[in-house]
Amino acid sequence: MKVLSVLKNVPENLQQWLDEKYPSLEFRYCHGMKEGESFLEEADVLVTYGEDLDEKKIEKAVNLKWIMVMSAGMDRMPFEAIRERGILVTNVRGIHAQPMAEYAIGMFLQNAKRMKELHLQEKESRWNRRLDFQELNGHTMTLLGTGAIASETARLAKCFNMKTVGVSRSGEAKKHFDEVFRIDQLTEALETGDYVTAVLPSTEETRGLLRKEHFEAMPAHAVFLNMGRGELVSTDVLLEAVQEGLISHAILDVMEEEPLPEEHALWREENITVTPHISGITSRYLPRGFEIFDRNIKAYIENEMMENVIDLERGY
């Protein structure tokens, strides 16, 4: 079985580990799809981030049986072409849970403890203790999503004695959540959300899901954080919500347009914090991803159930 990786900068120790563990498999590690495309035709398994795939490349990969996507987001995958070929797709769902949960708590603490203002005061050598410091303790975090990332974020929120409210398609009770609403109860779920965290994937159901009336339902002091997908809410709606005081602050790690242009209004809005889609980045990303890949290789060879198999109709 021939395994082609088109991930850039795969550490040599990970390559050696797989080569030694599976000597009967032929691994080829290429630095990106540009270098690896000429080997697609002979690959049985492709390891990719998914964004470098299109219909033509799927057509070229005549022997391809399994695509291992080293990402949780699947919205740029050519699913129709993949479905037609009956190719198995798995991903690393859950790998982002720890770094993204820490990001969410960190950004909310930054807001509550006025870290941006304190940093500015320090640069200006200004001694001022009269800032509006808040606590996470006793407040409610409402999470749009109850999957691995949301669950880990909720778990950390409980360490700060926060109430945790989840929103999912089913409304099914989940560990670390005090209460879970169905997606059709979204407005009700948002009414008590002091800190609202969006970690929903990009699907037909979630694109444009949040509208102005949803921000109107939130408390005026609410802080909204989106680290799922930018398509969840339009930029215009976000700007209106902040500028009209419907919420106190928005923290955006994902946006409709990425990279965000230098002249974009989001950069200039005082009550909006922008980060460049980094909430899931960690030095432990690839090692964790290859641990999942390792378990799935073994399951694939032994014809056993694999982890994180993607529903090709739903796209996740």
Side-chain angles (χ1 to χ4, degrees), residues 13-50:
N13 66 311
L14 290 179
Q15 297 182 30
Q16 184 177 357
W17 171 58
L18 286 173
D19 290 339
E20 292 177 355
K21 190 167 186 178
Y22 300 99
S24 63
L25 305 186
E26 181 182 329
F27 290 92
R28 184 181 294 274
Y29 304 95
C30 294
H31 189 67
M33 180 60 81
K34 186 175 181 180
E35 180 182 311
E37 188 169 356
S38 61
F39 303 104
L40 277 176
E41 188 174 346
E42 58 190 52
D44 299 290
V45 180
L46 176 65
V47 185
T48 172
Y49 285 120

mmCIF file of all heavy atoms in Angstrom, residues 13-50:
data_model
loop_
_atom_site.group_PDB
_atom_site.id
_atom_site.type_symbol
_atom_site.label_atom_id
_atom_site.label_comp_id
_atom_site.label_asym_id
_atom_site.label_seq_id
_atom_site.Cartn_x
_atom_site.Cartn_y
_atom_site.Cartn_z
ATOM 1 N N ASN A 13 11.276 12.896 12.730
ATOM 2 C CA ASN A 13 11.025 11.867 13.739
ATOM 3 C C ASN A 13 9.659 11.207 13.540
ATOM 4 O O ASN A 13 9.497 10.003 13.782
ATOM 5 C CB ASN A 13 11.132 12.456 15.147
ATOM 6 C CG ASN A 13 10.056 13.485 15.454
ATOM 7 O OD1 ASN A 13 9.817 14.392 14.666
ATOM 8 N ND2 ASN A 13 9.420 13.353 16.599
ATOM 9 N N LEU A 14 8.666 11.962 13.044
ATOM 10 C CA LEU A 14 7.359 11.375 12.743
ATOM 11 C C LEU A 14 7.443 10.477 11.515
ATOM 12 O O LEU A 14 6.830 9.400 11.475
ATOM 13 C CB LEU A 14 6.317 12.476 12.529
ATOM 14 C CG LEU A 14 5.906 13.281 13.768
ATOM 15 C CD1 LEU A 14 4.894 14.359 13.389
ATOM 16 C CD2 LEU A 14 5.316 12.367 14.837
ATOM 17 N N GLN A 15 8.187 10.920 10.514
ATOM 18 C CA GLN A 15 8.376 10.089 9.328
ATOM 19 C C GLN A 15 9.046 8.764 9.702
ATOM 20 O O GLN A 15 8.595 7.684 9.290
ATOM 21 C CB GLN A 15 9.232 10.828 8.301
ATOM 22 C CG GLN A 15 8.610 12.105 7.757
ATOM 23 C CD GLN A 15 9.488 12.770 6.712
ATOM 24 O OE1 GLN A 15 10.236 12.108 5.987
ATOM 25 N NE2 GLN A 15 9.414 14.090 6.620
ATOM 26 N N GLN A 16 10.114 8.852 10.482
ATOM 27 C CA GLN A 16 10.852 7.653 10.871
ATOM 28 C C GLN A 16 9.985 6.722 11.705
ATOM 29 O O GLN A 16 10.040 5.496 11.540
ATOM 30 C CB GLN A 16 12.096 8.057 11.656
ATOM 31 C CG GLN A 16 12.994 6.887 12.023
ATOM 32 C CD GLN A 16 14.255 7.340 12.747
ATOM 33 O OE1 GLN A 16 14.485 8.528 12.926
ATOM 34 N NE2 GLN A 16 15.068 6.390 13.167
ATOM 35 N N TRP A 17 9.193 7.283 12.582
ATOM 36 C CA TRP A 17 8.297 6.493 13.440
ATOM 37 C C TRP A 17 7.330 5.656 12.600
ATOM 38 O O TRP A 17 7.166 4.458 12.824
ATOM 39 C CB TRP A 17 7.549 7.445 14.363
ATOM 40 C CG TRP A 17 6.429 6.834 15.159
ATOM 41 C CD1 TRP A 17 6.514 5.792 16.031
ATOM 42 C CD2 TRP A 17 5.059 7.251 15.145
ATOM 43 N NE1 TRP A 17 5.278 5.533 16.574
ATOM 44 C CE2 TRP A 17 4.362 6.419 16.054
ATOM 45 C CE3 TRP A 17 4.356 8.249 14.480
ATOM 46 C CZ2 TRP A 17 2.994 6.549 16.297
ATOM 47 C CZ3 TRP A 17 2.995 8.389 14.725
ATOM 48 C CH2 TRP A 17 2.327 7.540 15.608
ATOM 49 N N LEU A 18 6.686 6.290 11.604
ATOM 50 C CA LEU A 18 5.745 5.558 10.754
ATOM 51 C C LEU A 18 6.462 4.537 9.875
ATOM 52 O O LEU A 18 5.985 3.405 9.698
ATOM 53 C CB LEU A 18 4.946 6.539 9.889
ATOM 54 C CG LEU A 18 3.859 7.346 10.595
ATOM 55 C CD1 LEU A 18 3.272 8.382 9.650
ATOM 56 C CD2 LEU A 18 2.763 6.434 11.131
ATOM 57 N N ASP A 19 7.601 4.930 9.306
ATOM 58 C CA ASP A 19 8.358 4.014 8.450
ATOM 59 C C ASP A 19 8.759 2.743 9.204
ATOM 60 O O ASP A 19 8.664 1.628 8.678
ATOM 61 C CB ASP A 19 9.618 4.709 7.915
ATOM 62 C CG ASP A 19 9.299 5.792 6.891
ATOM 63 O OD1 ASP A 19 8.201 5.750 6.314
ATOM 64 O OD2 ASP A 19 10.150 6.672 6.680
ATOM 65 N N GLU A 20 9.175 2.929 10.443
ATOM 66 C CA GLU A 20 9.621 1.777 11.229
ATOM 67 C C GLU A 20 8.447 0.949 11.738
ATOM 68 O O GLU A 20 8.541 -0.282 11.843
ATOM 69 C CB GLU A 20 10.476 2.256 12.408
ATOM 70 C CG GLU A 20 11.816 2.849 11.990
ATOM 71 C CD GLU A 20 12.609 3.386 13.170
ATOM 72 O OE1 GLU A 20 12.056 3.377 14.303
ATOM 73 O OE2 GLU A 20 13.767 3.805 12.969
ATOM 74 N N LYS A 21 7.339 1.593 12.045
ATOM 75 C CA LYS A 21 6.184 0.881 12.582
ATOM 76 C C LYS A 21 5.450 0.086 11.515
ATOM 77 O O LYS A 21 4.873 -0.973 11.802
ATOM 78 C CB LYS A 21 5.223 1.873 13.255
ATOM 79 C CG LYS A 21 4.111 1.184 14.040
ATOM 80 C CD LYS A 21 3.389 2.158 14.945
ATOM 81 C CE LYS A 21 2.384 1.414 15.821
ATOM 82 N NZ LYS A 21 1.696 2.333 16.761
ATOM 83 N N TYR A 22 5.471 0.594 10.270
ATOM 84 C CA TYR A 22 4.757 -0.077 9.174
ATOM 85 C C TYR A 22 5.721 -0.331 8.011
ATOM 86 O O TYR A 22 5.623 0.303 6.957
ATOM 87 C CB TYR A 22 3.569 0.771 8.710
ATOM 88 C CG TYR A 22 2.552 1.024 9.797
ATOM 89 C CD1 TYR A 22 2.549 2.224 10.514
ATOM 90 C CD2 TYR A 22 1.611 0.063 10.136
ATOM 91 C CE1 TYR A 22 1.632 2.458 11.517
ATOM 92 C CE2 TYR A 22 0.670 0.281 11.143
ATOM 93 C CZ TYR A 22 0.701 1.479 11.828
ATOM 94 O OH TYR A 22 -0.221 1.701 12.836
ATOM 95 N N PRO A 23 6.660 -1.256 8.175
ATOM 96 C CA PRO A 23 7.671 -1.505 7.133
ATOM 97 C C PRO A 23 7.087 -2.064 5.836
ATOM 98 O O PRO A 23 7.720 -1.944 4.785
ATOM 99 C CB PRO A 23 8.610 -2.527 7.798
ATOM 100 C CG PRO A 23 7.781 -3.187 8.846
ATOM 101 C CD PRO A 23 6.862 -2.133 9.358
ATOM 102 N N SER A 24 5.886 -2.638 5.901
ATOM 103 C CA SER A 24 5.277 -3.195 4.694
ATOM 104 C C SER A 24 4.615 -2.119 3.832
ATOM 105 O O SER A 24 4.238 -2.380 2.676
ATOM 106 C CB SER A 24 4.240 -4.255 5.062
ATOM 107 O OG SER A 24 3.173 -3.682 5.803
ATOM 108 N N LEU A 25 4.464 -0.910 4.372
ATOM 109 C CA LEU A 25 3.848 0.188 3.631
ATOM 110 C C LEU A 25 4.932 1.067 3.014
ATOM 111 O O LEU A 25 6.017 1.208 3.565
ATOM 112 C CB LEU A 25 2.957 1.038 4.540
ATOM 113 C CG LEU A 25 1.852 0.320 5.307
ATOM 114 C CD1 LEU A 25 0.987 1.332 6.042
ATOM 115 C CD2 LEU A 25 0.994 -0.536 4.391
ATOM 116 N N GLU A 26 4.594 1.663 1.891
ATOM 117 C CA GLU A 26 5.536 2.566 1.220
ATOM 118 C C GLU A 26 5.080 4.010 1.429
ATOM 119 O O GLU A 26 4.080 4.438 0.868
ATOM 120 C CB GLU A 26 5.602 2.245 -0.276
ATOM 121 C CG GLU A 26 6.586 3.119 -1.039
ATOM 122 C CD GLU A 26 6.594 2.815 -2.535
ATOM 123 O OE1 GLU A 26 6.349 1.640 -2.896
ATOM 124 O OE2 GLU A 26 6.842 3.750 -3.334
ATOM 125 N N PHE A 27 5.807 4.737 2.259
ATOM 126 C CA PHE A 27 5.477 6.131 2.560
ATOM 127 C C PHE A 27 6.305 7.065 1.675
ATOM 128 O O PHE A 27 7.500 6.870 1.490
ATOM 129 C CB PHE A 27 5.760 6.459 4.025
ATOM 130 C CG PHE A 27 4.822 5.799 4.997
ATOM 131 C CD1 PHE A 27 5.135 4.557 5.548
ATOM 132 C CD2 PHE A 27 3.633 6.403 5.369
ATOM 133 C CE1 PHE A 27 4.285 3.944 6.457
ATOM 134 C CE2 PHE A 27 2.771 5.805 6.273
ATOM 135 C CZ PHE A 27 3.096 4.567 6.818
ATOM 136 N N ARG A 28 5.641 8.099 1.156
ATOM 137 C CA ARG A 28 6.346 9.151 0.427
ATOM 138 C C ARG A 28 5.909 10.492 1.019
ATOM 139 O O ARG A 28 4.724 10.797 1.080
ATOM 140 C CB ARG A 28 6.026 9.109 -1.071
ATOM 141 C CG ARG A 28 6.827 10.139 -1.870
ATOM 142 C CD ARG A 28 6.462 10.097 -3.344
ATOM 143 N NE ARG A 28 6.854 8.839 -3.950
ATOM 144 C CZ ARG A 28 8.056 8.578 -4.455
ATOM 145 N NH1 ARG A 28 8.997 9.508 -4.370
ATOM 146 N NH2 ARG A 28 8.322 7.417 -4.998
ATOM 147 N N TYR A 29 6.884 11.271 1.460
ATOM 148 C CA TYR A 29 6.597 12.550 2.098
ATOM 149 C C TYR A 29 7.016 13.675 1.156
ATOM 150 O O TYR A 29 8.199 13.838 0.857
ATOM 151 C CB TYR A 29 7.343 12.658 3.429
ATOM 152 C CG TYR A 29 7.037 11.531 4.388
ATOM 153 C CD1 TYR A 29 7.873 10.400 4.439
ATOM 154 C CD2 TYR A 29 5.925 11.568 5.221
ATOM 155 C CE1 TYR A 29 7.595 9.353 5.312
ATOM 156 C CE2 TYR A 29 5.641 10.518 6.088
ATOM 157 C CZ TYR A 29 6.478 9.415 6.125
ATOM 158 O OH TYR A 29 6.207 8.375 6.974
ATOM 159 N N CYS A 30 6.037 14.452 0.704
ATOM 160 C CA CYS A 30 6.321 15.565 -0.202
ATOM 161 C C CYS A 30 6.026 16.892 0.494
ATOM 162 O O CYS A 30 5.151 16.976 1.362
ATOM 163 C CB CYS A 30 5.470 15.445 -1.467
ATOM 164 S SG CYS A 30 5.887 14.000 -2.464
ATOM 165 N N HIS A 31 6.740 17.910 0.075
ATOM 166 C CA HIS A 31 6.596 19.235 0.672
ATOM 167 C C HIS A 31 5.514 20.009 -0.088
ATOM 168 O O HIS A 31 5.797 20.891 -0.901
ATOM 169 C CB HIS A 31 7.933 19.979 0.635
ATOM 170 C CG HIS A 31 7.937 21.257 1.422
ATOM 171 N ND1 HIS A 31 7.838 21.290 2.793
ATOM 172 C CD2 HIS A 31 8.009 22.553 1.021
ATOM 173 C CE1 HIS A 31 7.857 22.551 3.205
ATOM 174 N NE2 HIS A 31 7.963 23.330 2.149
ATOM 175 N N GLY A 32 4.257 19.645 0.176
ATOM 176 C CA GLY A 32 3.146 20.318 -0.480
ATOM 177 C C GLY A 32 2.632 19.568 -1.697
ATOM 178 O O GLY A 32 3.294 18.687 -2.252
ATOM 179 N N MET A 33 1.429 19.946 -2.141
ATOM 180 C CA MET A 33 0.792 19.283 -3.273
ATOM 181 C C MET A 33 1.548 19.524 -4.573
ATOM 182 O O MET A 33 1.578 18.659 -5.463
ATOM 183 C CB MET A 33 -0.659 19.759 -3.402
ATOM 184 C CG MET A 33 -1.427 19.133 -4.554
ATOM 185 S SD MET A 33 -1.543 17.320 -4.462
ATOM 186 C CE MET A 33 -2.907 17.147 -3.294
ATOM 187 N N LYS A 34 2.177 20.684 -4.712
ATOM 188 C CA LYS A 34 2.920 20.968 -5.939
ATOM 189 C C LYS A 34 4.003 19.922 -6.175
ATOM 190 O O LYS A 34 4.198 19.441 -7.297
ATOM 191 C CB LYS A 34 3.535 22.366 -5.873
ATOM 192 C CG LYS A 34 4.208 22.812 -7.157
ATOM 193 C CD LYS A 34 4.686 24.260 -7.054
ATOM 194 C CE LYS A 34 5.327 24.712 -8.354
ATOM 195 N NZ LYS A 34 5.807 26.125 -8.273
ATOM 196 N N GLU A 35 4.678 19.535 -5.105
ATOM 197 C CA GLU A 35 5.715 18.523 -5.203
ATOM 198 C C GLU A 35 5.126 17.124 -5.297
ATOM 199 O O GLU A 35 5.673 16.242 -5.970
ATOM 200 C CB GLU A 35 6.625 18.611 -3.973
ATOM 201 C CG GLU A 35 7.761 17.599 -3.952
ATOM 202 C CD GLU A 35 8.607 17.706 -2.696
ATOM 203 O OE1 GLU A 35 9.016 18.847 -2.357
ATOM 204 O OE2 GLU A 35 8.855 16.662 -2.046
ATOM 205 N N GLY A 36 3.978 16.906 -4.642
ATOM 206 C CA GLY A 36 3.428 15.556 -4.568
ATOM 207 C C GLY A 36 2.463 15.171 -5.665
ATOM 208 O O GLY A 36 2.124 13.987 -5.823
ATOM 209 N N GLU A 37 1.998 16.148 -6.477
ATOM 210 C CA GLU A 37 0.952 15.863 -7.464
ATOM 211 C C GLU A 37 1.359 14.774 -8.453
ATOM 212 O O GLU A 37 0.528 13.973 -8.888
ATOM 213 C CB GLU A 37 0.574 17.145 -8.204
ATOM 214 C CG GLU A 37 -0.638 16.969 -9.114
ATOM 215 C CD GLU A 37 -1.166 18.288 -9.638
ATOM 216 O OE1 GLU A 37 -0.639 19.362 -9.242
ATOM 217 O OE2 GLU A 37 -2.105 18.250 -10.454
ATOM 218 N N SER A 38 2.621 14.720 -8.835
ATOM 219 C CA SER A 38 3.062 13.719 -9.816
ATOM 220 C C SER A 38 2.985 12.292 -9.264
ATOM 221 O O SER A 38 3.056 11.327 -10.029
ATOM 222 C CB SER A 38 4.499 14.028 -10.256
ATOM 223 O OG SER A 38 5.393 13.979 -9.146
ATOM 224 N N PHE A 39 2.826 12.147 -7.953
ATOM 225 C CA PHE A 39 2.740 10.822 -7.336
ATOM 226 C C PHE A 39 1.300 10.426 -6.994
ATOM 227 O O PHE A 39 1.073 9.347 -6.452
ATOM 228 C CB PHE A 39 3.592 10.774 -6.060
ATOM 229 C CG PHE A 39 5.037 11.115 -6.277
ATOM 230 C CD1 PHE A 39 5.537 12.348 -5.894
ATOM 231 C CD2 PHE A 39 5.897 10.208 -6.886
ATOM 232 C CE1 PHE A 39 6.868 12.673 -6.089
ATOM 233 C CE2 PHE A 39 7.234 10.519 -7.096
ATOM 234 C CZ PHE A 39 7.717 11.760 -6.695
ATOM 235 N N LEU A 40 0.340 11.294 -7.304
ATOM 236 C CA LEU A 40 -1.054 11.010 -6.977
ATOM 237 C C LEU A 40 -1.561 9.729 -7.630
ATOM 238 O O LEU A 40 -2.324 8.968 -7.028
ATOM 239 C CB LEU A 40 -1.954 12.184 -7.400
ATOM 240 C CG LEU A 40 -2.062 13.373 -6.453
ATOM 241 C CD1 LEU A 40 -2.900 14.466 -7.091
ATOM 242 C CD2 LEU A 40 -2.677 12.952 -5.122
ATOM 243 N N GLU A 41 -1.156 9.489 -8.857
ATOM 244 C CA GLU A 41 -1.688 8.370 -9.632
ATOM 245 C C GLU A 41 -1.454 7.019 -8.961
ATOM 246 O O GLU A 41 -2.279 6.119 -9.072
ATOM 247 C CB GLU A 41 -1.071 8.374 -11.032
ATOM 248 C CG GLU A 41 -1.692 7.361 -11.970
ATOM 249 C CD GLU A 41 -1.153 7.493 -13.383
ATOM 250 O OE1 GLU A 41 -0.513 8.531 -13.678
ATOM 251 O OE2 GLU A 41 -1.383 6.564 -14.178
ATOM 252 N N GLU A 42 -0.348 6.897 -8.232
ATOM 253 C CA GLU A 42 -0.012 5.603 -7.638
ATOM 254 C C GLU A 42 -0.405 5.490 -6.163
ATOM 255 O O GLU A 42 -0.268 4.429 -5.563
ATOM 256 C CB GLU A 42 1.491 5.346 -7.768
ATOM 257 C CG GLU A 42 2.357 6.402 -7.121
ATOM 258 C CD GLU A 42 3.827 6.247 -7.468
ATOM 259 O OE1 GLU A 42 4.146 6.150 -8.668
ATOM 260 O OE2 GLU A 42 4.641 6.213 -6.528
ATOM 261 N N ALA A 43 -0.928 6.563 -5.574
ATOM 262 C CA ALA A 43 -1.220 6.571 -4.143
ATOM 263 C C ALA A 43 -2.510 5.824 -3.811
ATOM 264 O O ALA A 43 -3.540 6.028 -4.446
ATOM 265 C CB ALA A 43 -1.312 8.004 -3.633
ATOM 266 N N ASP A 44 -2.438 4.971 -2.780
ATOM 267 C CA ASP A 44 -3.632 4.331 -2.228
ATOM 268 C C ASP A 44 -4.236 5.179 -1.110
ATOM 269 O O ASP A 44 -5.445 5.193 -0.904
ATOM 270 C CB ASP A 44 -3.278 2.949 -1.656
ATOM 271 C CG ASP A 44 -2.726 2.004 -2.695
ATOM 272 O OD1 ASP A 44 -3.509 1.577 -3.560
ATOM 273 O OD2 ASP A 44 -1.516 1.700 -2.650
ATOM 274 N N VAL A 45 -3.352 5.867 -0.383
ATOM 275 C CA VAL A 45 -3.763 6.711 0.736
ATOM 276 C C VAL A 45 -3.121 8.082 0.560
ATOM 277 O O VAL A 45 -1.944 8.182 0.217
ATOM 278 C CB VAL A 45 -3.316 6.098 2.086
ATOM 279 C CG1 VAL A 45 -3.749 7.001 3.247
ATOM 280 C CG2 VAL A 45 -3.874 4.692 2.259
ATOM 281 N N LEU A 46 -3.906 9.136 0.788
ATOM 282 C CA LEU A 46 -3.396 10.501 0.679
ATOM 283 C C LEU A 46 -3.559 11.201 2.019
ATOM 284 O O LEU A 46 -4.649 11.210 2.604
ATOM 285 C CB LEU A 46 -4.153 11.273 -0.399
ATOM 286 C CG LEU A 46 -3.786 12.760 -0.557
ATOM 287 C CD1 LEU A 46 -2.348 12.918 -1.039
ATOM 288 C CD2 LEU A 46 -4.752 13.450 -1.508
ATOM 289 N N VAL A 47 -2.483 11.798 2.503
ATOM 290 C CA VAL A 47 -2.516 12.593 3.729
ATOM 291 C C VAL A 47 -2.383 14.053 3.328
ATOM 292 O O VAL A 47 -1.393 14.449 2.707
ATOM 293 C CB VAL A 47 -1.378 12.196 4.690
ATOM 294 C CG1 VAL A 47 -1.514 12.957 6.005
ATOM 295 C CG2 VAL A 47 -1.395 10.696 4.948
ATOM 296 N N THR A 48 -3.375 14.869 3.693
ATOM 297 C CA THR A 48 -3.460 16.234 3.193
ATOM 298 C C THR A 48 -4.198 17.105 4.197
ATOM 299 O O THR A 48 -4.869 16.591 5.103
ATOM 300 C CB THR A 48 -4.199 16.262 1.841
ATOM 301 O OG1 THR A 48 -4.446 17.614 1.452
ATOM 302 C CG2 THR A 48 -5.539 15.555 1.938
ATOM 303 N N TYR A 49 -4.108 18.417 4.018
ATOM 304 C CA TYR A 49 -4.951 19.322 4.805
ATOM 305 C C TYR A 49 -6.298 19.541 4.130
ATOM 306 O O TYR A 49 -7.178 20.180 4.681
ATOM 307 C CB TYR A 49 -4.253 20.670 5.009
ATOM 308 C CG TYR A 49 -3.137 20.615 6.024
ATOM 309 C CD1 TYR A 49 -1.833 20.938 5.663
ATOM 310 C CD2 TYR A 49 -3.377 20.247 7.343
ATOM 311 C CE1 TYR A 49 -0.802 20.891 6.591
ATOM 312 C CE2 TYR A 49 -2.352 20.197 8.273
ATOM 313 C CZ TYR A 49 -1.069 20.516 7.889
ATOM 314 O OH TYR A 49 -0.052 20.464 8.816
ATOM 315 N N GLY A 50 -6.456 19.039 2.912
ATOM 316 C CA GLY A 50 -7.745 19.089 2.228
ATOM 317 C C GLY A 50 -7.941 20.283 1.320
ATOM 318 O O GLY A 50 -8.626 20.185 0.298
#
